[in-house]
Amino acid sequence: IPMYSSMKVITTCCTTAIISAASASGLPCWNESGPLRFTRNASSLEEVQLHLSRCDSHFKPPLSARIHIPTYAAKIRHKAMTVEAWEGAELIGLIAAYIDDTKRACYLTSISVLLDWNGRGVATALLAELMTCAVQANVESVTLEVSKENPAALSLYRKFGFEHVGERGDVAVLKRPVAGLANVPGRSNR
């Protein structure tokens, strides 16, 4: 996972806000008691660390095999913008990205959803909201790295128009221009 220490979070789109599941993705994200709650930059360091630890073995390869989770969680909380999905007080989904407003670039560093919530539109809603934030931040493109051994993630990113631009070992580098986001799945025209 690249360390973008020079990147800083911009504030134009990254204030704490509650986003309804329907507006975030255009898809219903429901639990037994109703829609999930989506927020920006609302999770604490402890919540991020617990969430990443709970998702650790579902990363391919496991996150803890590549980084020290407490250090990474601190970096995310202090340097990245986040979009979170909540069921009550439980953080069930998280996307984190570094946005460099001087280079007009966004690097998606992590997307994770608790196993019980896989396949229910949570990752789609999180990614759609990140792309909305990228538009608001006036960045030119979003870049990410993903294991070539993770077909579900690759499929999600392809659905959002990300294209393969390189490789680093077992990792594919994908990129998506921000222009033309009206055609992104799950993005409502607000």
Side-chain angles (χ1 to χ4, degrees):
I1 297 171
M3 298 296 173
Y4 285 76
S5 59
S6 64
M7 289 193 161
K8 61 181 178 176
V9 176
I10 64 161
T11 57
T12 55
C13 70
C14 303
T15 57
T16 301
I18 296 177
I19 307 151
S20 74
S23 70
S25 70
L27 300 172
C29 292
W30 293 84
N31 61 16
E32 294 73 33
S33 61
L36 299 178
R37 180 173 54 101
F38 287 76
T39 58
R40 290 185 187 167
N41 295 320
S43 57
S44 68
L45 169 60
E46 293 76 19
E47 289 165 327
V48 171
Q49 184 175 335
L50 177 62
H51 175 79
L52 292 174
S53 295
R54 292 178 68 196
C55 293
D56 178 29
S57 64
H58 308 296
F59 281 89
K60 295 181 181 180
L63 191 58
S64 60
R66 298 177 281 152
I67 53 94
H68 182 249
I69 290 176
T71 302
Y72 184 52
K75 182 179 177 196
I76 286 173
R77 187 60 287 143
H78 298 296
K79 296 186 181 276
M81 70 82 50
T82 57
V83 179
E84 305 96 352
W86 303 87
E87 179 187 36
E90 182 180 21
L91 180 60
I92 64 159
L94 175 71
I95 195 167
Y98 304 110
I99 298 177
D100 185 335
D101 56 344
T102 59
K103 294 182 181 177
R104 296 181 59 202
C106 177
Y107 178 80
L108 192 165
T109 186
S110 179
I111 184 168
S112 53
V113 176
L114 294 180
L115 186 59
D116 290 347
W117 287 89
N118 282 353
R120 295 167 74 179
V122 176
T124 299
L126 291 169
L127 190 52
E129 191 59 33
L130 173 69
M131 299 307 280
T132 296
C133 191
V135 168
Q136 293 170 350
N138 199 32
V139 301
E140 294 178 355
S141 63
V142 177
T143 304
L144 61 92
E145 296 181 5
V146 61
S147 169
K148 293 185 267 184
E149 304 295 320
N150 191 341
L154 287 166
S155 176
L156 174 67
Y157 298 136
R158 274 192 227 101
K159 181 171 87 171
F160 272 81
F162 282 85
E163 295 182 0
H164 186 273
V165 295
E167 294 184 3
R168 192 176 51 80
D170 293 338
V171 173
V173 179
L174 307 178
K175 191 171 189 174
R176 164 78 160 91
V178 173
L181 277 179
N183 300 322
V184 169
R187 186 174 188 287
S188 60
N189 294 324
R190 304 184 231 184

